[in-house]
Amino acid sequence: MLAFVATLLLATSVGAGELAPGVQLVPGRFVAGDQPDGNTIVFDGAGGLIVFDSGRHAAHADAIIDYAHARKLPIVAIFNSHWHLDHVGGNARLRAAYPGVRVQASGAIEQAMHGFLARYRAQIEEALAKPGGDAAQQAALRGELALIDAGPALYPDERVTRGGARMVAGRRLQVGIETRAVTAGDVWLFDPATRTLAAGDLVTLPAPLFDTACPARWQAALGRLAKVDFERLVPGHGSVLTRAQLRTYRTAFDHLLACAAGTSAKQACIDGWMREAQSLIPAADEQLARGLLDYYVDNSLRGHAAKTRELCGA
Ligand SMILES: [Zn+2]
């Protein structure tokens, strides 16, 4: 996610480590008052590493680079699940460390740079122009500006326009693409050798993040993810899920959308998510989940028909 709502808090609940042979998790991080980093998954290739999502902050990109150093292997390929800054922000730093790296992603970031990210940039400039701001917060906002201003260094070298099996650095991977789900273009990766599914923000905890989403198309995309033969699903934010846990997530997601489309009080929709997804939400994240849904029911799911139509491409 990337809206200012991210000043909410979350205690990180994901541990770094090997998920399966040749598949490493570099967990994303949420801290109070700071913008998040998405989870990164690193797959072993032949003579090099394949990185899925590069985080936002320099510290996250450095953790990926440290892992590559420890393995004595170069990073040769990056996939970005989508253009949100918590998933592409490390691209420039990884490119600087590994000039030969090839970035693959949907082309949606280029439109976003002239739309959503341009508006976000203007908001940041406005916030920075206000006198008397907190120094740490101002530094964080300047970091956001620097990321946006990296521009083409965040863009893909190769656009993913279709899904299917392909060899990437000697590893056979299945690439999936969803359009107008969480963003205009969402890429996921499935590694058949370990049955690991890197879902990006098509699955996020402690709540779905609707900032740039078409909720109905996202819901349909979750149905396609459920058909992938995975053993573990790595979400864009939060802990790794089993197949049963994805079923729980989908049920809670379906009911959240139905509730928001009906006449129930907002609080009933939030309570419904909390009840149904409870087993997926660490106690420390409950307040964050409620805060996020309080925002998204009002600002994405209800009363924004024109915005939703546009995001859905209708
Ligand atoms: Zn994210």
Side-chain angles (χ1 to χ4, degrees):
M1 69 182 284
L2 64 171
F4 279 113
V5 67
T7 46
L8 292 158
L9 339 173
L10 173 65
T12 185
S13 52
V14 186
E18 195 179 56
L19 299 175
V23 183
Q24 179 81 10
L25 175 67
V26 180
R29 177 171 168 274
F30 279 77
V31 293
D34 204 355
Q35 291 277 17
D37 295 288
N39 288 328
T40 291
I41 304 122
V42 186
F43 297 95
D44 283 15
L49 301 172
I50 304 154
V51 169
F52 182 85
D53 281 347
S54 61
R56 166 189 244 113
H57 297 101
H60 186 94
D62 287 347
I64 302 170
I65 293 168
D66 287 349
Y67 174 71
H69 283 168
R71 295 291 309 282
K72 297 184 167 53
L73 288 168
I75 295 168
V76 293
I78 298 172
F79 283 85
N80 293 127
S81 60
H82 64 295
W83 58 262
H84 289 174
L85 295 177
D86 50 331
H87 300 263
V88 301
N91 283 12
R93 211 170 176 86
L94 296 182
R95 281 185 198 278
Y98 299 98
V101 72
R102 298 287 290 172
V103 177
Q104 301 190 47
S106 96
I109 190 169
E110 297 176 46
Q111 294 97 288
M113 231 7 128
H114 300 289
F116 192 99
L117 288 171
R119 291 193 293 277
Y120 178 46
R121 195 185 190 292
Q123 278 183 306
I124 296 170
E125 292 274 25
E126 212 173 290
L128 283 170
K130 285 194 188 127
D134 168 73
Q137 181 135 32
Q138 296 220 333
L141 290 173
R142 278 192 293 274
E144 295 288 277
L145 282 189
L147 279 184
I148 296 167
D149 293 344
L154 307 181
Y155 292 4
D157 301 301
E158 294 167 44
R159 290 185 181 195
V160 176
T161 56
R162 67 173 78 176
R166 65 179 78 170
M167 295 299 289
V168 181
R171 193 174 187 113
R172 193 169 75 85
L173 294 171
Q174 189 187 333
V175 179
I177 180 151
E178 300 292 340
T179 55
R180 300 188 179 277
V182 178
T183 64
D186 300 306
V187 172
W188 51 263
L189 273 191
F190 176 61
D191 176 47
T194 63
R195 296 176 63 209
T196 301
L197 175 58
D201 280 5
L202 290 163
V203 179
T204 60
L205 285 161
L209 309 173
F210 289 104
D211 299 87
T212 57
C214 171
R217 290 181 61 97
W218 183 352
Q219 187 175 32
L222 283 171
R224 286 185 284 277
L225 283 188
K227 293 199 174 80
V228 178
D229 183 34
F230 69 88
E231 182 182 317
R232 70 185 64 75
L233 179 152
V234 185
H237 301 274
S239 300
V240 176
L241 272 64
T242 63
R243 299 188 69 82
Q245 286 174 317
L246 180 65
R247 279 196 291 277
T248 300
Y249 186 89
R250 287 184 65 205
T251 301
F253 190 101
D254 290 349
H255 291 171
L256 174 64
L257 263 50
C259 185
T263 55
S264 301
K266 174 170 70 171
Q267 201 52 50
C269 300
I270 298 172
D271 289 345
W273 172 267
M274 296 306 297
R275 192 172 55 247
E276 293 186 343
Q278 188 186 23
S279 63
L280 308 176
I281 302 172
D285 297 350
E286 283 176 14
Q287 207 187 335
L288 173 73
R290 288 183 178 280
L292 290 167
L293 292 175
D294 188 70
Y295 175 84
Y296 289 122
V297 173
D298 284 340
N299 291 285
S300 295
L301 298 179
R302 280 185 171 167
H304 292 267
K307 179 181 139 189
T308 301
R309 268 198 304 277
E310 191 191 330
L311 289 167
C312 292

